Amino acid sequence: MFNWLDHYQNNICTADEAVKAIRSKDYVIVSHACGEPRSLTRAMSERYADLRDVKVVHRVGMGECLYAQPGMEEHFRHISLFGGVNTRKAIYEGRADYIPRFISETPSLFLEGHIPVDVALITVSPPDKFGYCSLGISVDYSLPAARMAKIVIAEVNSNMPRTLGDSFISVKDINHFVLSDFPLMEVAPTIQTDIEIQIGNYCADLIEDGCTLQMGIGAIPDAALAAMVNKKDLGIHTEMFSDGLIPLVEQGVINGSKKTLHPYKIISTFMMGTKALYDWVDDNPLVEMHPENYINDPWIIAQNYKVVSINSALQIDVLGQISADAIGPKQFSGVGGQVDFIRGAKRSVGGGKSIIAVPSTASRGTVSRIVPALYEGTAVTTTRNEVDYVITEYGVAQLAGKTNLQRLNALVSISHPDFRDEIMFKAKKLYYGA
Ligand code: COA
């Protein structure tokens, strides 16, 4: 009879001992974002002299990402699922690779054998009385990878909340346990400027009582949430969420009562926020975490009532093409769940909406985000065929069903006034030979 407690106690070790299980040429999948097992990634990086050509696969790297720094080229190769502040330079410089892949289809990278899962490095909550550990704030691709890995090394972090849902891994499926009380990484709420507040108000105007929301991270989603205080019976089915959600739940604005899938539950796959958020979700029956190939599957999303997705972008051309993960040939972030939720919202019960909400300018007002044509070499994130609403601080442009000329006029009308004439002149010259 397998005794999980014996297995657990007999396989507790230090991070340095645990990462000895990693061999040269291994593919190592690391838990996402604030759920990164920092004791393990640091110990793995410090073991560089013993290792050659280890592939390190993850989405947003919030830690030091030492394996992606110059000088590590023969020891590690980072394969990025989403560029971050400590990894995008390595991608630009060819020292790391980026895989374009919808979040909904990332676990199938492992399932279909595109990426072997030799070792999974995950962060979990301490085991419960049944011998199960929760992946807490980062279930996403981390749990599917751990379920497929040849070897699983878990940082058992006393600060990792025990989130509920399909978020658990049995102790018997983990090979090595490294105890830690590292504080989880946090992302502080962004300061909302008047621009974000105005954009948030426009977003809120499109949201009816009873809608099911998906929103990303940052000042705009937080501003949109703050503008919804007078809405009723909102639901949440979202790829990720942050602290901005809590006040609306506590005020009863978000109660999931009209949801047609997982009613009354906040459904998500990862979160990035502060300790207050992590404490709030601990053992909270309102919150259910699931792997991302469930949460982000457009056909699952579509089973929700009146889905509204709110995402952002870097550049929008006058045809309605959205660049949300690259600036010219430089990879900035990743597709994330943007397209998953645009497609799911479109098909949702009762009809849904998708919003791309951006400030009209970037780089401290020196460039327009609405452009005649994307920078040369830019990868398109969302095609013009499926973009619905575009919002800036100057207003709302609905592109679905509109002609190219109507799109041009609608997008110029919500661009920053200083750039309107130039955009119109260049666009007419480019597309109409004017
Ligand atoms: N030209 C040049 N620089 C630009 C630019 C443009 N068109 N657009 C943005 N930038 C710069 C900004 O000025 C900023 O630089 P700075 O930090 O030096 O000021 C930087 O790029 C980031 O821009 P910002 O608007 O602050 O990004 P953000 O943190 O709000 O994230 C996205 C915006 C689009 C990158 C982010 O939403 C994303 O990655 N989206 C794709 C994934 C997705 O939609 N996921 C779904 C839910 S999470």
Side-chain angles (χ1 to χ4, degrees):
M1 163 80 168
F2 178 80
N3 181 310
W4 71 263
L5 190 56
D6 287 347
H7 172 73
Y8 178 63
Q9 290 171 336
N10 294 338
N11 289 285
I12 290 174
C13 61
T14 65
D16 289 342
E17 287 162 347
V19 298
K20 284 182 182 148
I22 297 170
R23 292 167 306 161
S24 291
K25 296 192 181 304
D26 272 356
Y27 280 79
V28 179
I29 317 302
V30 179
S31 266
H32 171 49
C34 298
E36 179 189 333
R38 282 187 289 166
S39 64
L40 302 179
T41 48
R42 183 174 298 166
M44 172 183 70
S45 304
E46 287 167 355
R47 207 185 142 228
Y48 70 92
D50 301 337
L51 296 171
R52 295 289 180 282
D53 192 23
V54 171
K55 268 68 76 184
V56 183
V57 184
H58 60 69
R59 198 166 281 136
V60 177
M62 302 283 291
E64 306 145 309
C65 303
L66 298 175
Y67 44 80
Q69 302 317 312
M72 288 290 188
E73 292 84 347
E74 65 175 292
H75 307 290
F76 299 105
R77 181 99 180 153
H78 172 43
I79 296 178
S80 170
L81 300 172
F82 194 104
V85 66
N86 290 332
T87 56
R88 60 175 68 105
K89 193 164 181 292
I91 301 169
Y92 299 163
E93 293 174 357
R95 292 184 288 105
D97 301 299
Y98 170 72
I99 298 183
R101 187 83 172 190
F102 297 138
I103 277 191
S104 57
E105 298 173 3
T106 298
S108 63
L109 281 174
F110 312 138
L111 280 168
E112 293 167 5
H114 297 290
I115 296 184
V117 188
D118 297 311
V119 182
L121 305 183
I122 60 175
T123 308
V124 297
S125 66
D128 61 23
K129 61 186 178 186
F130 302 103
Y132 282 86
C133 300
S134 170
L135 269 85
I137 63 172
S138 284
V139 176
D140 43 63
Y141 63 85
S142 308
L143 180 53
R147 285 173 171 163
M148 282 175 260
K150 297 188 186 82
I151 296 171
V152 179
I153 306 173
E155 177 177 316
V156 183
N157 190 320
S158 54
N159 297 305
M160 179 59 94
R162 180 178 183 270
T163 56
L164 307 177
D166 181 7
S167 55
F168 290 90
I169 184 169
S170 164
V171 156
K172 69 178 170 43
D173 294 325
I174 298 172
N175 302 87
H176 306 285
F177 304 90
V178 176
L179 305 185
S180 116
D181 56 5
F182 261 147
L184 296 179
M185 285 178 279
E186 299 181 66
V187 175
T190 32
I191 311 296
Q192 296 156 29
T193 66
D194 291 345
I195 289 176
E196 277 102 15
I197 291 168
Q198 179 58 67
I199 292 170
N201 290 334
Y202 283 134
C203 292
D205 290 346
L206 291 176
I207 288 160
E208 302 163 56
D209 292 342
C211 282
T212 308
L213 302 181
Q214 172 263 329
M215 73 284 293
I217 189 163
I220 288 174
D222 283 349
L225 284 167
M228 292 183 214
V229 286
N230 298 317
K231 303 292 180 182
K232 293 186 181 63
D233 302 330
L234 299 180
I236 301 291
H237 180 117
T238 184
E239 154 192 332
M240 62 86 59
F241 64 98
S242 195
D243 293 60
L245 216 56
I246 299 176
L248 291 183
V249 174
E250 290 176 344
Q251 293 155 25
V253 173
I254 293 174
N255 59 30
S257 60
K258 298 290 188 291
K259 285 184 74 182
T260 46
L261 181 70
H262 301 285
Y264 303 103
K265 299 282 187 180
I266 291 169
I267 300 295
S268 188
T269 196
F270 75 91
M271 66 194 85
M272 298 165 78
T274 70
K275 186 174 183 315
L277 175 68
Y278 304 154
D279 292 344
W280 187 75
V281 298
D282 187 33
D283 257 338
N284 186 339
L286 269 184
V287 177
E288 268 195 20
M289 303 295 282
H290 294 258
E292 60 194 29
N293 49 329
Y294 176 76
I295 294 294
N296 277 54
D297 182 333
W299 283 266
I300 299 291
I301 296 165
Q303 294 174 38
N304 282 288
Y305 180 66
K306 290 198 174 219
V307 173
V308 179
S309 74
I310 303 175
N311 292 296
S312 195
L314 297 164
Q315 265 194 330
I316 302 167
D317 72 11
V318 295
L319 299 173
Q321 296 189 109
I322 305 292
S323 161
D325 63 300
I327 299 175
K330 289 192 167 183
Q331 189 63 34
F332 184 83
S333 53
V335 58
Q338 181 168 125
V339 178
D340 293 331
F341 277 89
I342 286 174
R343 290 179 177 169
K346 199 72 190 165
R347 292 162 179 77
S348 67
V349 176
K353 298 177 182 120
S354 61
I355 298 169
I356 297 291
V358 294
S360 64
T361 62
S363 300
R364 289 164 292 285
T366 59
V367 296
S368 172
R369 291 201 198 215
I370 293 174
V371 290
L374 301 176
Y375 293 148
E376 187 179 5
T378 299
V380 172
T381 308
T382 300
T383 70
R384 60 180 175 170
N385 306 294
E386 52 198 331
V387 176
D388 194 359
Y389 289 89
V390 175
I391 292 179
T392 73
E393 66 275 28
Y394 291 102
V396 180
Q398 185 177 18
L399 304 190
K402 297 292 193 308
T403 67
N404 284 340
L405 192 54
Q406 289 171 326
R407 286 158 182 248
L408 169 58
N409 290 321
L411 288 166
V412 167
S413 74
I414 62 167
S415 64
H416 190 289
D418 293 354
F419 296 95
R420 288 178 187 168
D421 293 345
E422 179 191 353
I423 296 167
M424 186 60 86
F425 173 75
K426 286 182 176 176
K428 289 211 164 163
K429 188 160 177 269
L430 183 59
Y431 299 110
Y432 300 97

